[in-house]
Amino acid sequence: MSAASAVSARRFSLNQWTTKRWSVAEAVDGCVRHGVEAIGLWRQDVARQGLEETAKLVRDAGLRVSSLCRGGFLTSGSAESLDDNRRAIDEAAALEAGCLVMVVGGLPGVVPDEPLGSGERGIDRDLAGARERVAEALAVLAPYAGERGVRLALEPLHPMYCADRAVLSTLEQALDLAEPHPSEQVGVVVDTFHVWWDPNVLAQIARAGHRIASYQVCDFLHPIPANALLGRGVMGDGVIDFTSLTEAVTAAGYTGDIEVEIFNADVWAADPDEVLARIKARFGELIAR
């Protein structure tokens, strides 16, 4: 029996933005109706629903919160960023989330989805300096998270997002940043969309071991759409070999929930119940087989 065949379908988690049309309440209800036991939540949607109400909805439904997304955007080094991340940690604690996903931020002055325009526009092109500020922020936030029983999960993003969303592009970089901290305070996210291309990814997954705080799956579409953020597809619709990645994550000792996280205009436009049924079926075929 391969490592991949040991993955239970009960570990399937619906990342809320896969069915983006659903509110928190609707997503929780959808999980119950489809027999899904875990959900990944997003802070802005939790805020709309209300933190206390969200916690009650999830608790009453008997769901696990596999992750809360997102903290991060630490590269400015500002006090405001630290304060927002402390709030995110407190929210994750209230939801008893498995981890708080940290998208660490891009180069200061570069705004996601906005053109640079002409001139300097105050852009700080010091990539090494931006990464150093992430390390400095973690030194402040990790103990705060640990006191509240929250695990920060550093998520490396595909290199095409380095300028605007994450100066961490590889699992190796994320692990290097995590290692100075206790593993219960700082772990890493293995997201198939972001790491599949890395020739060292299997070795780095083995290195990660108990640092793996979240395993997220979706496919990498070809061709990539004009908005690269929406290039995440249903498993089996793109180019990723899920067997090797899932076997590596399993062999590393990860036994937690596996989130399906898809940003895709066509998926978002479709009926959420049909989407959930489809991704559950693909999960069974490609992840929990």
Side-chain angles (χ1 to χ4, degrees), residues 55 58-59 63-67 90-99 148-150:
V58 170
R59 183 173 60 251
L63 298 181
R64 301 181 298 273
V65 178
S66 51
S67 74
D90 292 341
E91 293 162 15
L95 294 167
E96 299 181 1
C99 64
R148 286 149 184 81
V150 172

Side-chain angles (χ1 to χ4, degrees), residues 106-111 114-126 163:
L107 295 174
V110 180
V111 180
E114 290 189 9
L116 295 181
S118 59
E120 291 294 316
R121 286 196 55 190
I123 296 170
D124 182 348
R125 292 177 169 83
D126 181 4

Side-chain angles (χ1 to χ4, degrees), residues 17 43-50:
W17 269 27
R43 290 182 67 200
Q44 53 268 55
D45 298 290
V46 170
R48 279 191 286 270
Q49 190 73 47

Side-chain angles (χ1 to χ4, degrees), residues 1 34 43 51 59 80 86 95 103 123 130 138 148 160 191 227 242 250-251 255 266 273:
M1 178 181 291
H34 287 265
R43 290 182 67 200
L51 179 60
R59 183 173 60 251
E80 292 80 7
R86 291 187 186 98
L95 294 167
V103 176
I123 296 170
L138 281 177
R148 286 149 184 81
M160 63 184 168
D191 184 316
N227 184 346
F242 292 97
T250 302
T255 59
D266 292 335
D273 279 295

Side-chain angles (χ1 to χ4, degrees), residues 102 104 134 138 153-157 167-181 186-190 195 204 207-208 211:
M102 302 291 285
V104 300
V134 175
L138 281 177
L154 300 175
E155 181 170 20
L157 268 57
V167 295
L168 295 184
S169 301
T170 67
L171 190 55
E172 181 178 13
Q173 289 175 316
L175 287 168
D176 287 347
L177 271 179
E179 280 187 344
H181 307 283
V186 183
V188 296
V189 180
V190 177
V195 304
Q204 292 303 314
R207 172 192 171 195
R211 290 269 180 192

Side-chain angles (χ1 to χ4, degrees), residues 198-207 244-245 248:
D198 184 352
N200 296 317
V201 67
L202 298 182
Q204 292 303 314
I205 289 172
R207 172 192 171 195
S244 63
L245 292 169

